[in-house]
Amino acid sequence: MTEQSTSPLHKPLTHNWVSVFGFMLAMAFLVGEALIITLDFVYGQNNPYVGILIYVVGPAILILGLLMVPLGMWLQFRRRQKGMVEKEFPVFDLNTPRHRLYLTTFVIISTVFICLSMIGSYQAYHVTESTEFCGLMCHQVMKPEYTAYQYSPHARVDCVQCHIGPGASWYVKSKLSGLRQVWAVATNSYELPIQTPIENLRPARDTCEQCHWPEKFYEAVEKSLTYYANDDENTPYHVKLLLHVGGSSTILGHYTGIHWHIARDHKLEYYPADYARQIIPWVRVTHEDGRVEEFISTEATDFDKSQIDPAAIRELDCIDCHNRPSHRYESPFASVNQAMELGLIDPKLPGIKGVAVEALQGEYQTTPEALQAIEDKIRGQFEETAANDPEIKAKVDQAVKQTQAIFERSIFPEMKVDWTKYPSNIGHFDFPGCYRCHDGKHATPEGKVIRDDCNLCHSIIQQGEGWEEINQLEYKLQDFVHPRGMGDAWEGQNCHECHGPGMM
Ligand code: HEC
Ligand code: HEC
Ligand code: HEC
Ligand code: HEC
Ligand code: HEC
Ligand code: HEC
């Protein structure tokens, strides 16, 4: 007996450093994992890094450790083979108590491990689907989208519900394109800002319609806007409109209003002449009875219908209007107006509108630089008045804080993202939006025009200028009166031609 145990041949093959180390590593991680997973189940956690550690890195090391055991055994086997002549496999004998103990231990550990890794991969699936994973793992790159998202009506909708949607094939597709993106981030080879439209975005009807029902009929949606002038009084101009969203009317049996476009009884297609889909020279409506109408823009003089690439024709869906449902980067003009209307910035602070907008529009390389500049600019403006008036000083402090907050949620110099980079297709004030088709210049050969009258999409029911007057405005259907004494000088041009990026 003593003879046998001293012979190297009778030591188990696992008797080598690689296997022993691998086994210890695996055991250490197994115990650690079991502990953290239990804690995770009991307390829950939202930190994506912890999730990645537990469910992706941990199991990987565990598997590595376990693989080291047979690897070491194999190396040991080879070593013995070289040194000795006989090519024997180790003897495994269930009659030996020690061998039975090995087997039982192995079976127990493997079972526990397999169970845990099943839970693990299920959790890994969830982690890679979580909003925190999408938004924070590539923190720098996705910061604009993640930030804007948190302030959007969809703040509780997971990224994947719009970007991937249900079904395994899109999950796989998204993970493949995700790998490409990880590569792009790792090698710093992505474009700034991120290009839109996202070409391979899943058709909106598969995603949005998981929650929104196009057949739903919407009553008029009210939009109430107050614009403050760039003067000492911040003179307000107020407009209230009712948007005719509509939808399917079960009583009438057909679609009306703005959501007419997505009715299932006809098909609306268009051909964009540019990558951003901002120029639309050609529109086709195929009606239920097979009738086809083709509208061509009279402005697109060099447009030749025969050169349309059929693959580039797009069927209009939710995203063609709601392209910023979740990542809306407001213009300084709009966000300061809104902050003032909500009272976050006091509209009684003389000239604050102009100063705040100007501060937000500065050319900045980094966010900290911008925040400092905003503070300096606003404080500078009120230096004298605030010095002897604590009340004004408090309002200035508040205005600084709010203007900085606007910057942080809508402008991202590091990623070269701001409102001018991502046109919003809803409306027509600062981007062409609906006017890409509804400019009154898209006509069929018979002369039918896509309508552009101001009451087609909404009704203006209140408007007026001045602090006192606004409180006395009546509700009545009325024509738009352009503020600030413009008279009819605006007519004949679209709003965005004067109000769009770089104009005001
Ligand atoms: C309500 C649906 C919705 C949700 C939720 C959503 N997105 Fe988006 N996302 C969109 C749409 C629509 C676009 C624009 C597509 C286009 O123009 O082609 C977009 C665009 C993007 C872009 C391209 C750049 C840009 O700003 O347009 C990125 C990056 C992005 N989303 C990341 C995210 C991340 C990260 C989350 C979660 C934190 C998220 N999205 C949540 C709908 C959504
Ligand atoms: C997982 C469910 C879900 C998905 C998917 C989803 N939404 Fe929503 N959406 C919501 C909820 C919930 C609200 C209401 C939020 C509230 O009222 O606070 C909402 C609100 C909206 C609104 C009204 C916003 C406002 O200003 O009040 C629009 C427009 C909208 N969604 C468009 C879209 C579009 C376009 C898509 C697809 C790109 C989409 N949604 C995908 C759940 C979803
Ligand atoms: C032709 C443009 C257009 C298309 C296409 C379109 N919408 Fe809208 N939708 C609008 C406008 C305009 C509003 C009014 C609210 C606004 O301006 O944000 C609106 C409002 C909504 C609202 C919010 C209503 C409320 O109570 O505030 C939801 C939800 C919505 N749309 C979902 C969808 C979904 C889902 C699709 C695709 C199946 C879709 N829309 C397609 C233009 C469109
Ligand atoms: C791709 C082109 C295109 C875009 C973009 C577009 N429309 Fe239309 N729209 C049409 C066509 C074509 C018609 C049918 C002709 C008509 O009624 O004048 C139409 C009809 C309408 C109608 C009348 C529906 C009815 O009840 O008969 C409304 C309202 C409308 N659009 C609102 C909007 C709004 C609001 C937007 C922007 C958010 C918008 N459209 C964007 C092409 C477009
Ligand atoms: C094809 C549909 C359509 C037509 C035609 C149209 N509008 Fe609009 N308009 C919209 C939509 C949609 C919005 C709301 C955008 C949003 O939800 O942000 C809007 C918003 C506005 C606003 C608020 C602007 C803002 O700050 O966002 C004003 C003012 C306005 N329209 C005036 C007009 C006038 C004046 C005309 C006629 C010259 C006109 N509209 C024609 C669809 C239309
Ligand atoms: C020919 C150029 C032009 C066109 C077209 C135009 N505007 Fe204006 N708009 C102006 C100018 C200039 C001002 C005054 C800005 C100022 O006083 O600081 C102004 C001011 C405004 C204001 C008040 C905001 C402020 O800062 O004082 C609103 C609201 C407005 N326009 C809405 C519209 C709408 C809606 C349309 C389209 C129906 C439109 N405008 C078309 C040039 C134009």
Side-chain angles (χ1 to χ4, degrees), residues 134-335:
C134 304
L136 293 177
M137 278 316 284
C138 309
H139 29 212
Q140 173 78 342
V141 185
M142 294 281 179
K143 190 178 169 210
E145 287 73 26
Y146 187 57
T147 310
Y149 156 90
Q150 287 172 309
Y151 290 95
S152 82
H154 291 107
R156 297 247 174 115
V157 174
D158 291 343
C159 317
V160 293
Q161 290 189 277
C162 292
H163 284 282
I164 304 175
S169 79
W170 281 90
Y171 178 79
V172 174
K173 268 189 217 178
S174 79
K175 287 295 166 276
L176 292 179
S177 95
L179 285 179
R180 268 201 311 278
Q181 287 155 17
V182 169
W183 176 251
V185 171
T187 55
N188 226 345
S189 58
Y190 52 92
E191 260 181 276
L192 286 186
I194 299 173
Q195 287 281 308
T196 52
I198 307 173
E199 273 174 291
N200 51 5
L201 191 74
R202 185 163 185 182
R205 308 210 62 152
D206 293 355
T207 52
C208 314
E209 287 182 18
Q210 295 295 316
C211 302
H212 299 289
W213 211 228
E215 278 76 26
K216 177 174 160 51
F217 184 84
Y218 288 94
E219 306 294 330
V221 170
E222 185 185 289
K223 205 157 169 86
S224 172
L225 298 144
T226 307
Y227 308 88
Y228 299 87
N230 188 359
D231 58 16
D232 273 353
E233 288 73 42
N234 305 313
T235 313
Y237 189 82
H238 173 78
V239 178
K240 186 172 278 181
L241 3 108
L242 296 180
L243 283 155
H244 309 313
V245 179
S248 163
S249 165
T250 30
I251 298 166
L252 294 173
H254 63 78
Y255 280 82
T256 55
I258 300 173
H259 278 177
W260 165 86
H261 302 78
I262 46 167
R264 302 208 192 268
D265 56 9
H266 64 248
K267 194 154 103 181
L268 205 163
E269 296 158 303
Y270 71 88
Y271 171 75
D274 62 335
Y275 183 77
R277 302 180 189 147
Q278 293 301 295
I279 302 166
I280 300 182
W282 179 88
V283 179
R284 177 169 66 193
V285 183
T286 311
H287 293 276
E288 203 175 15
D289 55 12
R291 208 161 32 90
V292 177
E293 286 177 316
E294 272 186 23
F295 300 88
I296 295 180
S297 170
T298 51
E299 287 205 325
T301 40
D302 54 354
F303 172 72
D304 179 2
K305 202 182 104 186
S306 62
Q307 278 172 1
I308 291 183
D309 167 13
I313 295 180
R314 221 185 113 76
E315 185 170 351
L316 187 106
D317 71 20
C318 322
I319 302 293
D320 290 296
C321 299
H322 297 283
N323 65 332
R324 309 263 115 221
S326 177
H327 320 289
R328 188 154 185 166
Y329 312 106
E330 294 285 0
S331 69
F333 173 84
S335 42

Side-chain angles (χ1 to χ4, degrees), residues 236 238 348 462 464-474:
H238 173 78
K348 294 272 155 51
Q462 262 193 339
E465 179 173 301
W467 291 103
E468 252 108 75
E469 293 78 355
I470 286 178
N471 290 330
Q472 284 148 30
L473 293 175
E474 278 179 69

Side-chain angles (χ1 to χ4, degrees), residues 335-488:
S335 42
V336 173
N337 276 333
Q338 196 195 37
M340 290 173 72
E341 189 173 16
L342 295 174
L344 299 171
I345 296 179
D346 192 331
K348 294 272 155 51
L349 204 55
I352 185 65
K353 170 73 192 295
V355 185
V357 170
E358 212 183 302
L360 288 166
Q361 279 170 336
E363 288 273 333
Y364 305 114
Q365 298 308 314
T366 65
T367 304
E369 178 201 338
L371 299 185
Q372 189 58 50
I374 288 169
E375 171 153 18
D376 295 346
K377 185 157 182 76
I378 298 178
R379 287 205 195 288
Q381 177 82 9
F382 297 97
E383 208 166 4
E384 283 166 30
T385 36
N388 351 325
D389 189 337
E391 208 178 310
I392 294 205
K393 185 173 178 301
K395 286 180 184 173
V396 172
D397 288 347
Q398 171 80 356
V400 168
K401 214 175 85 200
Q402 290 298 334
T403 312
Q404 289 176 328
I406 290 175
F407 190 94
E408 283 186 296
R409 64 168 184 260
S410 56
I411 303 173
F412 305 86
E414 291 85 357
M415 286 300 296
K416 301 196 172 34
V417 167
D418 63 33
W419 70 290
T420 60
K421 303 299 180 348
Y422 294 110
S424 162
N425 291 336
I426 216 133
H428 52 89
F429 185 66
D430 35 25
F431 291 100
C434 315
Y435 271 60
R436 291 173 299 162
C437 298
H438 286 270
D439 57 356
K441 290 173 185 137
H442 286 68
T444 60
E446 296 78 41
K448 181 178 170 187
V449 177
I450 303 183
R451 289 168 288 169
D452 68 339
D453 61 274
C454 301
N455 288 324
L456 175 68
C457 312
H458 47 62
S459 311
I460 297 181
I461 52 166
Q462 262 193 339
Q463 66 187 326
E465 179 173 301
W467 291 103
E468 252 108 75
E469 293 78 355
I470 286 178
N471 290 330
Q472 284 148 30
L473 293 175
E474 278 179 69
Y475 280 88
K476 63 169 194 287
L477 189 65
Q478 49 197 295
D479 285 338
F480 179 63
V481 179
H482 191 285
R484 322 291 180 221
M486 274 270 280
D488 54 12

